Amino acid sequence: DGFRCGTKLVVEGSLRGEVLARCGAPSDVEHRTILRRPVFWRHGRPYSVPGDLVEVPVETWTYNLGPNKLMRRLRLDDGIVVEIETLGYGYRAN
């Protein structure tokens, strides 16, 4: 799954800064943390590393693209996009 911002594309494995540069600030951001095994990324794919659980910051970004386009929700674990979800149509922001 990908998320197109104009002519630029965000995909799983994209970095936080890349998303901001390509799409701008999201309409909404939620913050939390999770515990998981350490992970390293290679060729855009996560690989688990044996060891103790570590605390990882998780952000959920929602992009409201207006009433004529579908909203997108991105999940970033430790600053890396791990999930892109398509939601219903957006709304007119006041």
Side-chain angles (χ1 to χ4, degrees):
D1 231 359
F3 171 33
R4 190 165 297 283
C5 297
T7 60
K8 299 175 180 152
L9 185 63
V10 172
V11 295
E12 291 180 7
S14 295
L15 301 176
R16 184 180 197 276
E18 293 173 336
V19 177
L20 286 171
R22 293 174 184 166
C23 302
S27 307
D28 184 60
V29 178
E30 296 175 15
H31 299 272
R32 63 189 167 106
T33 58
I34 59 171
L35 292 175
R36 71 157 191 223
R37 298 212 182 287
V39 171
F40 76 93
W41 285 78
R42 183 171 181 180
H43 304 295
R45 303 196 94 169
Y47 294 91
S48 293
V49 177
D52 293 336
L53 298 177
V54 294
E55 192 169 346
V56 177
V58 174
E59 294 177 301
T60 303
W61 291 8
T62 303
Y63 282 90
N64 172 23
L65 304 172
N68 298 321
K69 294 187 179 179
L70 297 172
M71 295 190 299
R72 298 297 183 125
R73 183 172 23 219
L74 283 62
R75 177 177 158 182
L76 292 86
D77 289 6
D78 205 16
I80 300 171
V81 175
V82 296
E83 182 179 24
I84 300 171
E85 184 180 1
T86 302
L87 307 174
Y89 282 96
Y91 52 90
R92 202 174 304 279
N94 294 336

